[in-house]
Amino acid sequence: VVTESSGSMFAYTTIGGYGELHYNNYEDQDAKIDFHRFVLFFGHEFSDSVRFFSEFELEHSIAGEGKSGEVELEQAYVEVDINEATSSKVGLFLIPVGIINETHEPPTFYGVERNGVEKNIIPATWWEAGLSFNYKPVGGVSLDGAVTSGLEVGDDFKIRNGRQKVAKATAENLAYTGRVKYTAITGLELAATVQYQTDITQGGNNFDTPIDTADATLLEAHAVYQVNDFTVRALYARWDINGDEAKALGRDEQTGWYVEPSYRISEKVGVFARYAEYDNNAGNSDSTTVESTNVGVNYFLHENVVLKADYEDLGGSKDSKGFNLGFGYQF
Amino acid sequence: VVTESSGSMFAYTTIGGYGELHYNNYEDQDAKIDFHRFVLFFGHEFSDSVRFFSEFELEHSIAGEGKSGEVELEQAYVEVDINEATSSKVGLFLIPVGIINETHEPPTFYGVERNGVEKNIIPATWWEAGLSFNYKPVGGVSLDGAVTSGLEVGDDFKIRNGRQKVAKATAENLAYTGRVKYTAITGLELAATVQYQTDITQGGNNFDTPIDTADATLLEAHAVYQVNDFTVRALYARWDINGDEAKALGRDEQTGWYVEPSYRISEKVGVFARYAEYDNNAGNSDSTTVESTNVGVNYFLHENVVLKADYEDLGGSKDSKGFNLGFGYQF
Amino acid sequence: VVTESSGSMFAYTTIGGYGELHYNNYEDQDAKIDFHRFVLFFGHEFSDSVRFFSEFELEHSIAGEGKSGEVELEQAYVEVDINEATSSKVGLFLIPVGIINETHEPPTFYGVERNGVEKNIIPATWWEAGLSFNYKPVGGVSLDGAVTSGLEVGDDFKIRNGRQKVAKATAENLAYTGRVKYTAITGLELAATVQYQTDITQGGNNFDTPIDTADATLLEAHAVYQVNDFTVRALYARWDINGDEAKALGRDEQTGWYVEPSYRISEKVGVFARYAEYDNNAGNSDSTTVESTNVGVNYFLHENVVLKADYEDLGGSKDSKGFNLGFGYQF
C-alpha cells in the first residue's frame, strides 16, 4: 500500500478536520476549559464511483488509563454510486437523523455546546455500522434507508448511554432507519426520520434478571428555513420503548424539541436565541423536563474559524445559569 | 518543522491506510459487530536513500479509560539504503516472519478474521524496536537479520501475551531474528524464519519466585504458490522454550500449521478453504489442539475494497461453529 | 467540509511529524526500550493571515485501559496576523518559556532524554488554552503576552503533576505569561519569561481541607550562544509559591539550572556535555537537589534523522548512573 499511495495520494487522498475549545462558567460548578473535540478527516477516491471517508476524533484532549478523554472512530465507510439516483454506504457511518448528527463542525451551528435535545434524545453524535442506501427519485427529494447495529441500553434505559460505538458491540438486535428529506424550495429543508429496533436491551445483556423485550421506535422531524439573513431551525424527537422495565422508570417515553431563530448581522457576526425542552422520563408524571433558554453570538474570524459566546438559563428539573465561550474551526 | 513540511510535503510525504469491520456470529456467544482495525500510514522520503514509514492504529473503534479498544503504534522506522543490495531499518518495525505479519491489509487475504496459527503462535501482528538489515545477494533471494527488543511472557508462558509493544518494554534480553526468502520462480514464495531469545521471561520479572532462564526459539516456514487463478498458502510455526516452568505447563512447545487453497473465480470474486491446527500446550499429553476449518468468499467492490464472508467449524479442544461477515479497504 | 477540503487541501494543508525511540540502561533498574513519542503535525492555511496548526501525540506507543501510554493534543490553535508587527493565537498552544518547550524535535537537541530542569521545573512539555499576542517592536526583539488556563497542583505541590492538559481543566484561576526575546546579534538568543497565577491549587479543589490561596510566580531566563561550530545553552528557572501548605513541604521554592556546551565536529557528528541541578523542594533545608552530569554524541543519518548516545551520572539526592541510546526523526 505504501508504494501505491506514494504514487497516487496527491490526486485522490484528502485530509480535513475540525476542532472546538470550550470554556463553561455556570453558577453551580467550577469554571472549566476543555478542548472538547479534535477531529481529523481522511478520505480517498478509489474511482469515480467508489470513495472512502473517515472521521477520527480525540475528545477532551487526552486519552489513556485514568484520563478523562477518549479516541473515537466516528465514521469509516465506503460509498458506492450505483446509478445516477442511487448510492450505498457500507461500514461505520452517522445515522441519518436530526440536524447536527451529520453536520456538526463548529462554524455550522450557533451556541458553544450542542443543543441538549439532539444530545440526550437522538442521541447525537450517533454512529453505527451496517449498510445504507440513498435514493433521489426527483430533484429536492432524498430517501435514506439503513440496516445497522443498534443501541444496547443499561438498566437505566438512558438512550445516550446505549451507544455501543461499534466497539465489540452486541449485534443480536439490529436497527432499521428510514429518512425522507425535502429540499426543493430554496432556503427550506424538511426532514423526518424513523428508526425501529427489535430490542434496545439486546436481550437484556446488561440486566441482572430476565426482562421484557424492549422494542423501541424513534421519531424525529425538523425544519430549517432561511430567508435572506434570517434562519430558523426547529426540531422534535421522541422515543417510545416497550416493556415493563422502561415503563416502571418512566423511560418508555423520552422526548424533546427546540426552536432556534438566528440572524446574520454581517459576514462576520451572527446572533441567535434558542428555546429547548427535553425529558428522558417523559413517561412518568413527575416534573422531569429540562428547559433551556440560550442567547448568543458567533463571530467569524474567517468563514471557517469562529469565536462563540452564549448565555444559558436552565429551568424545569434543572436550575442553573451561566455562560460559555468557544473557539472552533474546520478545514 | 512546520515551515519545512509546508514547503516540501506534497513532493515527499505520503498517507495511506486500511480498515476492517467484522461481524461475528457463533453458536456459543452473542453476535458482535466491531470496527476491529482502523489504520493510517504516514511516510516521508528524506532523500533517495533515506525514508520514514509508520503505521498508526485504533483497534476496536474507541480507546480510553474503561473502553475496550486501544491506540497502537505498529511501525515507525527509518530505512536507509546502504548499497544496491543492502538496506537497514532502525526504529520500531514488524518482525520478518510468516505471511500476514508484514502484509495484513484486508484485500490481501481471505477470511474475515486472521488465521489462528499466525495470531496465537507467531504471534502476529508482532512488532519490536531495534535494528535490522536486508541483503539481496542475487535476484530472487532476500536475507533479513534483526536485533530487537524481545517478548516478556507472564507465568502462563502465553506467547501472544508476551508482546510488550515497545511501551516501556523491559529490554534485559534481546531477540535475534533471521529470515531467508526465495522468490526466483514466478508465482512461488518460500521463506523461513528463526528467532532466538536468551530469556523470554526477561529475568522472571512477572514471576513471584525466581525461575529458570527460559531461552526460546521460534521456527517458521511457509510457502505461497500461485498458478493462474489458483493459489495455495501453507505455513508451519513452532516455539521451543527451555526451563522447568514452561515445561510444567506443557508450554515448552507451542506449534501450529495451516494450508489454504483459494481460487479467484473472476476479478470480483474469490473463494477459499483453510484447515488450521494450533496448540499452545503442545508440550503436554492432553488434547489441547484447536482445529479450525474455514470456507468463504471475498467479493471485491474495487481491487482495494472487499466484502468477505466465511463459515468456520472449530474442533479439537474448542467446539463451536459460526459465520463471519467483513468489510475492508486499503489505500 | 469534505468537498471543500478535497478541492483545496493540496494547496493549503500540511502534514509533518517527529518521533523518538529510547533505550535506557541504568545501574539501579531494568533496561527499558520505549517509543517515547510519536507525533503528527496537521496545519492549514485559511488565508494569508489566518492559519491553523496542531500537534497530535501518542506517548509510549500504546494507549487504552490498562496501558502505559496516552494520546495527547499538545497544540491546536489558529494564528491571526493583525499587522506587520503583531499576531495573535487563540486555542491550545505551548507556553512561551524555556528552550525545549516550544522546540523539541529530536534532531534539534542533544541527549536522548530531555533535560530534567525543563521537565521538572518549567514543566515542559507544557501547553494551556487561551489567547496570546506576539509583538515585534524592532528587528531582533519579540514580546509575547498570554492569558491561559493554569496549573492545578495536588497536595504535593508538584509542578509537573499540576498540568491539566486542557482536559476538562478547572479554570477558576487563570495564568498570565510574558516573555521578552532578543535575537538581534547573530548566533545569540536571550530570553526571559515570567508567569503569574492567582492560585495554582484552583481554590484547593484537590485538597481535603480548606487551604491558603497559593499564588505562584515562575521566572525563567536562558541564553543560547553559537559561534561557528560551538554552541552553549544555559537556563535558569524558579517557582515561588505562597501559602502555608507549600511552605510546610518546602515546595514554596522550586528551582533549577543547567549549562550545556556542545561542538559540531562535522555535518554528521556533534558532541555535548551538560551539567544540571534542580530541586523541587528548594524551600526546605534538606539536601534535595538532583545533580546530573551528561556527556554524549548525536550522529545524523540525515539532517532530520538522528542517532543519539549519552552517559549520565546522577548525584545529590539521587545516586545512579547509566547510558541511553536514542533514535529520532522529524519531517
Side-chain angles (χ1 to χ4, degrees):
Chain A
V1 105
V2 189
T3 50
E4 185 190 73
S5 62
S6 66
S8 66
M9 86 156 274
F10 300 114
Y12 301 111
T13 299
T14 57
I15 299 176
Y18 77 86
E20 50 189 341
L21 174 68
H22 295 170
Y23 171 82
N24 310 110
N25 190 320
Y26 281 74
E27 61 184 12
D28 56 343
Q29 48 193 287
D30 275 349
K32 293 281 177 187
I33 191 161
D34 184 36
F35 209 103
H36 197 143
R37 296 179 181 94
F38 176 79
V39 170
L40 296 170
F41 298 124
F42 298 94
H44 185 77
E45 300 275 324
F46 289 104
S47 71
D48 285 353
S49 61
V50 180
R51 67 197 67 89
F52 169 73
F53 185 67
S54 66
E55 178 177 352
F56 175 87
E57 178 161 343
L58 172 59
E59 295 212 332
H60 308 302
S61 204
I62 179 163
E65 168 85 12
K67 306 301 178 190
S68 51
E70 61 194 43
V71 172
E72 292 179 341
L73 183 67
E74 299 205 350
Q75 301 185 61
Y77 62 84
V78 166
E79 185 176 55
V80 179
D81 294 337
I82 296 171
N83 58 41
E84 287 278 305
T86 314
S87 65
S88 175
K89 289 179 187 174
V90 56
L92 184 160
F93 50 81
L94 298 169
I95 295 292
V97 62
I99 297 174
I100 64 165
N101 197 55
E102 291 181 299
T103 306
H104 42 239
E105 291 81 359
T108 68
F109 67 92
Y110 284 97
V112 172
E113 301 287 347
R114 299 175 185 173
N115 71 81
V117 177
E118 296 195 65
K119 179 179 172 184
N120 292 294
I121 304 298
I122 279 186
T125 309
W126 183 17
W127 60 92
E128 300 286 355
L131 186 67
S132 79
F133 290 90
N134 176 267
Y135 175 59
K136 295 186 175 69
V138 293
V141 178
S142 176
L143 307 174
D144 292 284
V147 181
T148 63
S149 52
L151 300 172
E152 182 178 13
V153 296
D155 57 14
D156 61 0
F157 281 88
K158 280 204 168 175
I159 290 295
R160 187 170 180 80
N161 298 345
R163 297 178 304 164
Q164 301 189 78
K165 300 187 176 181
V166 198
K168 300 180 184 175
T170 308
E172 290 289 305
N173 294 81
L174 301 178
Y176 306 88
T177 307
R179 179 174 68 179
V180 183
K181 188 190 277 192
Y182 176 82
T183 55
I185 298 168
T186 304
L188 179 67
E189 172 184 311
L190 296 174
T193 292
V194 58
Q195 184 185 94
Y196 178 74
Q197 192 174 331
T198 48
D199 186 356
I200 62 164
T201 72
Q202 299 281 351
N205 262 322
N206 294 333
F207 292 75
D208 295 330
T209 53
I211 61 163
D212 276 9
T213 295
D215 68 291
T217 305
L218 167 67
L219 285 170
E220 182 273 337
H222 68 260
V224 178
Y225 189 45
Q226 183 185 351
V227 185
N228 300 324
D229 297 320
F230 179 78
T231 302
V232 63
R233 291 176 168 197
L235 179 144
Y236 172 80
R238 170 194 176 111
W239 277 95
D240 284 286
I241 304 172
N242 282 319
D244 285 346
E245 290 76 11
K247 195 180 186 79
L249 295 165
R251 294 228 156 100
D252 51 331
E253 192 182 317
Q254 307 191 32
T255 64
W257 65 272
Y258 71 85
V259 60
E260 179 196 288
S262 62
Y263 185 73
R264 190 75 175 246
I265 297 172
S266 68
E267 199 189 332
K268 284 191 174 301
V269 181
V271 294
F272 83 105
R274 187 197 304 134
Y275 180 76
E277 286 188 6
Y278 65 90
D279 188 350
N280 286 98
N281 292 65
N284 68 11
S285 55
D286 300 338
S287 301
T288 49
T289 301
V290 176
E291 298 163 10
S292 162
T293 307
N294 272 87
V295 292
V297 59
N298 277 13
Y299 177 81
F300 293 86
L301 283 172
H302 175 276
E303 64 176 315
N304 290 323
V305 182
V306 66
L307 299 176
K308 299 182 178 185
D310 68 73
Y311 170 82
E312 184 176 28
D313 192 334
L314 286 163
S317 65
K318 284 196 181 178
D319 178 20
S320 182
K321 48 179 167 277
F323 68 96
N324 305 290
L325 303 175
F327 153 72
Y329 63 87
Q330 65 176 341
F331 63 91
Chain B
V1 109
V2 190
T3 50
E4 186 190 74
S5 64
S6 66
S8 66
M9 87 155 272
F10 301 115
Y12 300 110
T13 300
T14 57
I15 298 176
Y18 76 88
E20 50 189 340
L21 174 67
H22 294 169
Y23 170 82
N24 310 111
N25 190 320
Y26 282 73
E27 61 184 10
D28 57 343
Q29 48 194 289
D30 276 350
K32 293 280 178 188
I33 191 161
D34 184 36
F35 208 103
H36 197 142
R37 296 179 180 94
F38 175 79
V39 170
L40 296 170
F41 298 123
F42 298 94
H44 185 78
E45 300 275 324
F46 289 104
S47 71
D48 284 354
S49 61
V50 180
R51 67 197 67 91
F52 168 73
F53 185 67
S54 66
E55 178 177 352
F56 175 87
E57 179 161 343
L58 172 59
E59 295 212 331
H60 308 302
S61 205
I62 180 163
E65 168 84 11
K67 307 301 178 189
S68 52
E70 60 194 43
V71 172
E72 293 178 340
L73 183 66
E74 300 205 349
Q75 301 185 62
Y77 64 82
V78 165
E79 186 177 54
V80 178
D81 294 337
I82 297 171
N83 59 40
E84 287 277 305
T86 314
S87 65
S88 176
K89 289 180 188 174
V90 56
L92 184 160
F93 50 80
L94 298 169
I95 295 293
V97 62
I99 297 173
I100 65 165
N101 197 54
E102 291 180 299
T103 306
H104 42 240
E105 291 81 358
T108 69
F109 66 91
Y110 284 96
V112 172
E113 301 286 348
R114 298 175 184 173
N115 72 81
V117 177
E118 297 195 65
K119 179 178 174 184
N120 292 294
I121 304 297
I122 280 185
T125 309
W126 183 17
W127 60 92
E128 299 287 355
L131 186 67
S132 79
F133 290 90
N134 176 267
Y135 175 60
K136 295 186 175 67
V138 292
V141 178
S142 175
L143 306 175
D144 292 283
V147 180
T148 63
S149 52
L151 300 172
E152 182 178 13
V153 297
D155 58 13
D156 60 0
F157 281 89
K158 279 203 168 177
I159 290 295
R160 188 170 181 79
N161 298 345
R163 298 178 304 165
Q164 301 189 77
K165 299 187 176 183
V166 198
K168 301 180 183 173
T170 307
E172 290 290 305
N173 295 81
L174 300 179
Y176 306 89
T177 308
R179 178 175 68 181
V180 183
K181 189 190 278 193
Y182 177 81
T183 55
I185 297 167
T186 304
L188 179 67
E189 172 184 312
L190 297 173
T193 292
V194 58
Q195 183 184 95
Y196 178 74
Q197 192 174 331
T198 48
D199 186 355
I200 61 164
T201 72
Q202 299 281 351
N205 262 322
N206 294 333
F207 291 75
D208 295 330
T209 54
I211 61 163
D212 276 10
T213 295
D215 69 291
T217 305
L218 166 68
L219 285 170
E220 182 274 340
H222 67 259
V224 178
Y225 190 44
Q226 182 185 351
V227 185
N228 300 324
D229 298 320
F230 179 79
T231 302
V232 63
R233 291 176 168 197
L235 180 144
Y236 172 80
R238 170 193 176 113
W239 278 94
D240 283 286
I241 303 172
N242 282 319
D244 285 346
E245 290 76 11
K247 195 180 186 80
L249 294 165
R251 293 228 156 100
D252 51 330
E253 191 182 319
Q254 306 190 31
T255 63
W257 65 273
Y258 72 84
V259 60
E260 179 197 288
S262 63
Y263 185 73
R264 190 78 174 244
I265 296 172
S266 68
E267 200 190 332
K268 285 191 176 299
V269 181
V271 294
F272 82 105
R274 186 196 305 134
Y275 180 78
E277 287 189 7
Y278 65 91
D279 188 351
N280 287 98
N281 293 64
N284 68 9
S285 55
D286 299 338
S287 301
T288 48
T289 301
V290 176
E291 299 162 10
S292 160
T293 307
N294 272 86
V295 293
V297 60
N298 277 13
Y299 177 82
F300 293 86
L301 283 171
H302 175 276
E303 63 177 314
N304 290 323
V305 182
V306 66
L307 299 175
K308 298 182 178 185
D310 68 74
Y311 170 83
E312 183 176 28
D313 192 334
L314 286 162
S317 64
K318 285 195 181 178
D319 179 19
S320 182
K321 48 180 166 276
F323 68 95
N324 304 291
L325 303 175
F327 154 72
Y329 63 86
Q330 66 176 341
F331 63 90
Chain C
V1 106
V2 190
T3 50
E4 186 190 75
S5 64
S6 66
S8 66
M9 86 155 273
F10 300 115
Y12 300 111
T13 300
T14 57
I15 298 176
Y18 77 86
E20 50 190 340
L21 174 68
H22 294 170
Y23 171 82
N24 311 110
N25 191 319
Y26 281 73
E27 62 184 10
D28 57 343
Q29 47 193 286
D30 275 350
K32 292 281 176 187
I33 190 160
D34 185 35
F35 209 102
H36 196 144
R37 295 178 181 95
F38 176 79
V39 170
L40 297 170
F41 298 123
F42 298 93
H44 185 78
E45 301 274 324
F46 288 104
S47 71
D48 284 355
S49 61
V50 180
R51 66 198 67 90
F52 168 72
F53 185 67
S54 67
E55 178 177 352
F56 174 88
E57 178 160 344
L58 172 59
E59 294 212 331
H60 308 301
S61 203
I62 180 163
E65 168 84 12
K67 306 302 178 188
S68 52
E70 61 194 42
V71 172
E72 294 179 340
L73 183 66
E74 300 205 349
Q75 300 185 63
Y77 63 83
V78 165
E79 186 177 54
V80 179
D81 294 337
I82 297 170
N83 58 41
E84 287 277 305
T86 315
S87 66
S88 176
K89 288 179 188 175
V90 56
L92 185 161
F93 49 81
L94 298 169
I95 295 294
V97 62
I99 297 173
I100 64 165
N101 197 55
E102 291 180 299
T103 306
H104 42 239
E105 290 81 358
T108 68
F109 67 91
Y110 284 97
V112 172
E113 300 287 348
R114 299 175 185 173
N115 71 81
V117 177
E118 297 196 65
K119 179 179 173 183
N120 292 293
I121 304 297
I122 279 185
T125 309
W126 183 17
W127 59 93
E128 299 287 353
L131 185 68
S132 79
F133 290 90
N134 176 266
Y135 175 59
K136 295 186 175 68
V138 293
V141 177
S142 176
L143 307 174
D144 292 284
V147 180
T148 63
S149 52
L151 300 172
E152 181 178 14
V153 297
D155 57 14
D156 61 0
F157 281 88
K158 279 204 167 175
I159 290 294
R160 187 171 180 78
N161 297 345
R163 297 179 303 164
Q164 300 190 78
K165 300 187 177 181
V166 199
K168 300 181 182 174
T170 308
E172 291 289 306
N173 295 80
L174 301 179
Y176 306 89
T177 307
R179 179 174 68 181
V180 183
K181 190 190 277 192
Y182 177 81
T183 54
I185 298 167
T186 304
L188 179 67
E189 172 184 310
L190 296 174
T193 292
V194 58
Q195 183 184 94
Y196 177 74
Q197 191 175 331
T198 48
D199 187 355
I200 62 164
T201 72
Q202 299 282 349
N205 261 324
N206 294 333
F207 291 76
D208 295 330
T209 54
I211 62 162
D212 276 10
T213 294
D215 69 290
T217 306
L218 167 67
L219 285 170
E220 181 273 339
H222 67 260
V224 178
Y225 190 44
Q226 182 184 351
V227 186
N228 299 324
D229 298 321
F230 179 79
T231 302
V232 63
R233 291 176 167 197
L235 179 143
Y236 172 80
R238 170 193 175 113
W239 278 95
D240 283 287
I241 305 172
N242 282 319
D244 285 347
E245 289 76 12
K247 196 180 185 80
L249 294 165
R251 293 229 156 100
D252 51 330
E253 192 183 318
Q254 307 191 32
T255 64
W257 64 272
Y258 71 84
V259 58
E260 179 196 288
S262 62
Y263 185 72
R264 190 76 175 244
I265 297 171
S266 68
E267 199 191 333
K268 285 191 174 301
V269 181
V271 294
F272 82 105
R274 186 196 306 133
Y275 180 78
E277 287 188 7
Y278 65 90
D279 187 351
N280 286 98
N281 292 63
N284 68 10
S285 55
D286 299 340
S287 302
T288 47
T289 301
V290 176
E291 299 163 10
S292 161
T293 307
N294 272 86
V295 292
V297 60
N298 277 13
Y299 178 81
F300 292 87
L301 283 172
H302 175 274
E303 62 175 316
N304 290 322
V305 182
V306 65
L307 300 175
K308 298 182 177 184
D310 68 73
Y311 170 83
E312 183 176 28
D313 193 333
L314 286 162
S317 65
K318 283 195 181 179
D319 179 20
S320 182
K321 48 179 167 277
F323 69 95
N324 304 291
L325 303 175
F327 153 72
Y329 63 87
Q330 65 176 340
F331 63 90

